Amino acid sequence: LTVPSLELLYSSCTPFLSKNNKLNIVDRTIRMLLPPDSPVIQDLLEALQDEEMTDVVLEGHDQVPVPACRFVLAARSSVLRRMLYGNFKESTSSKILLHEYDSVILEAIVEWCCRNEISKFRLYIHRTAVSARRLVQLYKAADYLALVGLAKMVAQMAHNLTTRFPPLACAVYDEADLHTKISQDALEMIEKRPYVTLPPDSDTEGGIACLTEHKLISIYEDSNVQAGELFLFQMLKEWLQCRNEDHDSTSRGAVPDGEEGERQHNDFATVRVCASHLKLENIEPHDLLTLVSPSGFCDPNTITQALTHQALKASKTRVWSLSSRGPDIERILVEGAGSKDANGIYYRVDGLANGELYSKREISCGQQYVYTLSISLNKTLEEVECRIFCSKLLTHNAVARLANKNTNRTDNSFVSDAHFQPILQVIDTGEGKETGAWIQLSDGEHFIYASLAPRLRTATRGKELVQNTLVKVLGYEKCVSSDENTSGATTGHVYLQLTKLSIISQDPGHRFGNPVYYYDDFGDDEWDEDEDISSAASSLDDGRRAAMVVNPHPCTTIVDQSSLESLVRPTAMAPAQLYTRRPCVSESQALHELYCCNYEIRNKPVDSKVPNVEWQTDAHGIGPGPRCRWIPASDVSPDDASSGGDNITSSSSVSTEGKRATVASFNSFAASVVPLPVQSQYILSPTPENSKSTTASSF
């Protein structure tokens, strides 16, 4: 239709349309007449950034002028609208002073207002603490000027940066205002991954050295930091040393001796305030006397009280055990490992058939691997084997299995393995003509297209399924694409029809790996006929049985025990189920063995289930080996604890009541370390047949 025809049609229909319908028609008409690539649009965008056509200048504390268009700024920001067109002096001035920001921040503000992007600003962002602070500064400016979209984008950029480079979380936390979204996000990273966020890092210039006095104190006041007390004490020494080194390098000879002495006195006073929040009774007596006491950070009377508390506790329980931060659950504190990500607190999940299993969960802060510590008996039942290993959170080689066609079938239908329930990441979403919403699912190396069953399509519209969401595929069918515009997949390629899934996390931090389309790597070659997958076909029906696992209490996060087992344990597979195809990696390589330690039962550690030292470095580990401390729950009896390895053949070393309390406590704890959004209606709950116990052969 021509423009006059559209105007005539609109005026004829106006009496019969509501206000919303009128606005929709006008919007669609404009979009139809002026598509995004229209020359008119392009010319207007270029004109907005033409300095000759600007009528106002923004100036920051570096006094570099940033030209802008008054009308555009006011149209995009309600704060700038009141400033430029209200009863303020800026309404009659051609120069707007914003001394809180520099020209780089102001240029990003102008670019966002003109083009809804910040491509020039991205050039300033690198893996350094300076870049992290600059991101926070832009977030503050966007928040102050009520640019909601920009603030949200910058917060996500900061989240992605700290996820890839955890030491930068300290720089973000220090620069951000307390209780803002960006500050809370960085604090959560520090709380849950202190062993990789706090140590000073020369490559990024991040770590605890980035923290100023009041932010450092706030970290040590926070009881949710999941780290050992000795590690936190050592970080105080690092902070004080970095402060002295930085000051010496930047102001050598420029600061009077009196001011330098006052600075050192203030820094030492800050350290003593932080040390007062340490629970010294959780530090070994030898370390208290040889490391803590000589430092002068703690009052001698406090150290004496800590030693007395340890002695009285051992006398009362007849067990020598030190506690740690975290919930009152049986756990193991791992520190000092060369692989920093392996350090942390491992919580008991459930007993193996011939041992026990502990896991450290950090996926809510972008951790791509699940770290696990196992204690098991060997075949002779005379030696205990302890291992620390990690496995990818995303199911290894899952896309290769999903893309497999069953060549024994001639009706273009494909066999789906009902027992294969991979964990994948959503990396993109879209809309098909016939299938409706489609998504791209990645295993970190490759991705495949998937459409959603009708009852699941509201998940993309309601923003439950967005980019980077982690999902567990519980039910699916394989289909062949007949139209690229229908399913997203190229014609003739396999795509999935998802019938049942559960959401693990909507925002794990960033995209894992650098996945490529599976068929771009391997083409259209079929699998060999003798490599057919499981003959058990999925019986899920698209129309009748498509469902998500719905939480009857939407405001409550639910994670059950079997779900956690399925995530922290590698999937047990028969050799016939493991397929290798050209560059594909074998399933065993998805498991990285880091550290190990063996001991005979007759030489078991005293009052512990794992040795404290003498851990060996495995193929994927980095020396030195870790120091481990077993921490029993408060309901463990002295006899159970002192027996150590004798009880390893049982599923638990605590009483029945104690085990129930431990499981309940762990489920409550899991809800905090694997958070699901409050508005989410999905819970992590695999089918009963998938929640069986895993034997040591799985490892």
Side-chain angles (χ1 to χ4, degrees):
L1 295 177
T2 61
V3 174
S5 300
L6 285 170
E7 292 176 348
L8 178 61
L9 178 61
Y10 175 70
S11 61
S12 302
C13 297
T14 295
F16 309 100
L17 299 176
S18 65
K19 181 179 179 180
N20 289 337
N21 285 335
K22 292 178 186 178
L23 294 176
N24 288 337
I25 288 180
V26 172
D27 180 65
R28 292 181 182 179
T29 303
I30 294 175
R31 292 177 180 274
M32 191 184 307
L33 296 176
L34 296 176
D37 57 349
S38 168
V40 178
I41 298 294
Q42 298 302 320
D43 290 342
L44 288 175
L45 290 175
E46 292 178 5
L48 291 177
Q49 295 182 302
D50 188 344
E51 293 188 11
E52 296 181 355
M53 303 181 68
T54 59
D55 56 359
V56 69
V57 172
L58 305 182
E59 187 175 293
H61 59 72
D62 56 358
Q63 297 182 347
V64 177
V66 178
C69 178
R70 181 185 299 267
F71 169 76
V72 174
L73 296 179
R76 296 282 281 167
S77 167
S78 59
V79 175
L80 289 174
R81 183 187 302 122
R82 292 191 297 270
M83 184 185 298
L84 298 173
Y85 289 93
N87 297 323
F88 296 94
K89 65 178 182 179
E90 288 82 1
S91 61
T92 58
S93 175
S94 60
K95 180 185 292 186
I96 309 301
L97 301 179
L98 297 170
H99 290 307
E100 297 85 356
Y101 318 109
D102 61 14
S103 57
V104 175
I105 301 300
L106 297 180
E107 286 177 354
I109 295 294
V110 173
E111 184 181 11
W112 175 262
C113 291
C114 293
R115 306 185 66 90
N116 213 52
E117 61 183 30
I118 50 173
S119 56
K120 294 180 181 179
F121 178 80
R122 292 179 185 273
L123 300 177
Y124 293 95
I125 302 305
H126 309 286
R127 56 182 72 180
T128 63
V130 174
S131 294
R133 292 181 183 276
R134 194 181 292 277
L135 274 174
V136 178
Q137 292 163 7
L138 181 56
Y139 175 85
K140 290 180 178 180
D143 184 60
Y144 170 70
L145 298 175
L147 296 171
V148 179
L150 177 59
K152 183 177 180 181
M153 175 188 289
V154 175
Q156 186 63 47
M157 290 174 61
H159 186 66
N160 294 344
L161 186 67
T162 56
T163 297
R164 291 186 175 94
F165 310 103
L168 296 181
C170 291
V172 172
Y173 180 69
D174 185 70
E175 189 72 23
D177 295 330
L178 289 174
H179 309 303
T180 59
K181 181 183 185 304
I182 199 169
S183 173
Q184 293 297 324
D185 185 79
L187 178 60
E188 183 183 18
M189 177 77 73
I190 296 173
E191 288 176 345
K192 295 180 180 178
R193 302 182 65 186
Y195 291 94
V196 294
T197 56
L198 292 180
D201 182 64
S202 58
D203 293 335
T204 62
E205 300 178 354
I208 197 170
C210 294
L211 298 176
T212 52
E213 292 87 342
H214 67 284
K215 289 297 180 71
L216 179 70
I217 293 175
S218 68
I219 292 295
Y220 278 80
E221 289 176 342
D222 187 354
S223 60
N224 294 322
V225 178
Q226 301 292 304
E229 306 300 322
L230 182 61
F231 169 79
L232 294 176
F233 168 79
Q234 292 170 336
M235 289 302 100
L236 283 179
K237 296 180 66 175
E238 293 284 353
W239 181 83
L240 191 60
Q241 180 179 347
C242 291
R243 293 277 290 187
N244 292 332
E245 292 177 353
D246 292 344
H247 189 78
D248 291 342
S249 62
T250 57
S251 59
R252 187 181 302 274
V255 179
D257 293 340
E259 294 183 10
E260 173 65 14
E262 183 180 357
R263 183 199 61 80
Q264 293 179 353
H265 175 77
N266 292 337
D267 288 346
F268 195 80
T270 300
V271 169
R272 286 184 62 88
V273 171
C274 295
S276 66
H277 296 285
L278 295 177
K279 299 180 179 179
L280 300 182
E281 64 271 16
N282 294 337
I283 300 178
E284 293 285 351
H286 178 267
D287 294 328
L288 280 175
L289 296 175
T290 59
L291 297 177
V292 179
S293 181
S295 68
F297 294 172
C298 301
D299 186 86
N301 292 332
T302 306
I303 297 177
T304 302
Q305 292 175 3
L307 293 170
T308 304
H309 180 274
Q310 293 172 346
L312 292 176
K313 180 181 177 182
S315 175
K316 180 179 179 180
T317 62
R318 293 181 290 129
V319 175
W320 177 258
S321 66
L322 304 180
S323 186
S324 73
R325 301 185 180 206
D328 186 19
I329 304 167
E330 183 180 342
R331 55 202 183 275
I332 295 177
L333 176 63
V334 177
E335 293 184 308
S339 301
K340 292 183 179 179
D341 281 308
N343 295 316
I345 301 176
Y346 290 68
Y347 293 88
R348 190 176 189 277
V349 180
D350 198 6
L352 295 170
N354 61 341
E356 296 179 2
L357 197 68
Y358 302 78
S359 180
K360 179 166 68 82
R361 303 303 310 279
E362 297 172 340
I363 66 170
S364 61
C365 292
Q367 181 56 266
Q368 186 175 197
Y369 289 85
V370 177
Y371 286 81
T372 308
L373 189 153
S374 65
I375 309 173
S376 59
L377 286 169
N378 63 5
K379 296 180 180 179
T380 62
L381 302 181
E382 295 180 354
E383 189 176 62
V384 176
E385 181 182 73
C386 304
R387 287 191 176 275
I388 297 177
F389 55 89
C390 66
S391 57
K392 279 189 175 182
L393 178 65
L394 302 182
T395 304
H396 179 69
N397 213 24
V399 171
R401 293 189 62 185
L402 294 172
N404 175 25
K405 297 180 182 179
N406 182 3
T407 56
N408 295 329
R409 302 283 291 271
T410 59
D411 57 355
N412 286 333
S413 61
F414 308 100
V415 174
S416 301
D417 187 353
H419 300 288
F420 182 52
Q421 298 181 345
I423 297 175
L424 302 170
Q425 185 176 40
V426 178
I427 61 173
D428 198 8
T429 61
E431 290 285 337
K433 291 182 178 179
E434 297 178 6
T435 57
W438 58 260
I439 59 178
Q440 290 178 358
L441 292 175
S442 163
D443 62 5
E445 297 178 1
H446 300 98
F447 70 82
I448 191 172
Y449 286 89
S451 62
L452 300 176
R455 293 182 60 185
L456 306 185
R457 292 174 187 171
T458 57
T460 55
R461 298 169 192 156
K463 303 300 182 182
E464 281 87 8
L465 280 180
V466 294
Q467 287 187 354
N468 297 341
T469 300
L470 296 179
V471 298
K472 185 171 186 180
V473 178
L474 303 178
Y476 66 94
E477 292 180 354
K478 296 183 183 180
C479 308
V480 63
S481 175
S482 58
D483 182 2
E484 187 170 349
N485 295 325
T486 298
S487 62
T490 304
T491 302
H493 291 172
V494 170
Y495 73 95
L496 305 180
Q497 174 78 18
L498 301 181
T499 57
K500 191 176 183 181
L501 58 86
S502 63
I503 291 180
I504 298 175
S505 176
Q506 278 190 315
D507 189 10
H510 66 289
R511 178 185 297 187
F512 294 146
N514 187 25
V516 297
Y517 187 38
Y518 177 78
Y519 290 99
D520 288 344
D521 260 7
F522 299 110
D524 298 325
D525 296 339
E526 300 289 347
W527 291 69
D528 295 336
E529 293 185 3
D530 58 351
E531 291 183 342
D532 188 20
I533 64 173
S534 173
S535 60
S538 173
S539 61
L540 295 174
D541 180 73
D542 178 283
R544 291 171 296 176
R545 309 181 78 178
M548 289 188 181
V549 185
V550 180
N551 180 1
H553 306 289
C555 294
T556 305
T557 302
I558 300 177
V559 181
D560 63 12
Q561 184 75 7
S562 59
S563 306
L564 292 164
E565 294 175 18
S566 66
L567 284 178
V568 301
R569 296 177 176 178
T571 306
M573 294 184 180
Q577 290 180 287
L578 305 180
Y579 306 105
T580 57
R581 186 181 182 214
R582 297 215 301 244
C584 288
V585 185
S586 65
E587 184 74 22
S588 61
Q589 291 181 343
L591 188 68
H592 301 291
E593 297 180 345
L594 303 176
Y595 305 99
C596 65
C597 185
N598 298 347
Y599 64 87
E600 296 181 355
I601 292 183
R602 60 185 179 183
N603 297 326
K604 62 181 180 295
V606 178
D607 296 340
S608 180
K609 294 183 179 180
V610 293
N612 180 260
V613 292
E614 298 181 358
W615 285 75
Q616 304 298 319
T617 303
D618 270 344
H620 297 91
I622 300 176
R627 301 184 306 274
C628 299
R629 183 204 303 168
W630 177 69
I631 303 170
S634 59
D635 52 13
V636 176
S637 65
D639 294 335
D640 288 335
S642 61
S643 61
D646 293 342
N647 281 336
I648 203 168
T649 55
S650 64
S651 61
S652 176
S653 63
V654 299
S655 63
T656 304
E657 295 78 6
K659 182 176 179 180
R660 290 173 182 169
T662 299
V663 171
S665 300
F666 188 83
N667 285 338
S668 174
F669 163 75
S672 66
V673 297
V674 192
L676 297 178
V678 173
Q679 70 271 20
S680 177
Q681 295 183 340
Y682 319 116
I683 64 172
L684 181 61
S685 179
T687 52
E689 58 268 26
N690 268 4
S691 58
K692 296 179 181 179
S693 239
T694 307
T695 61
S697 61
S698 303
F699 304 101

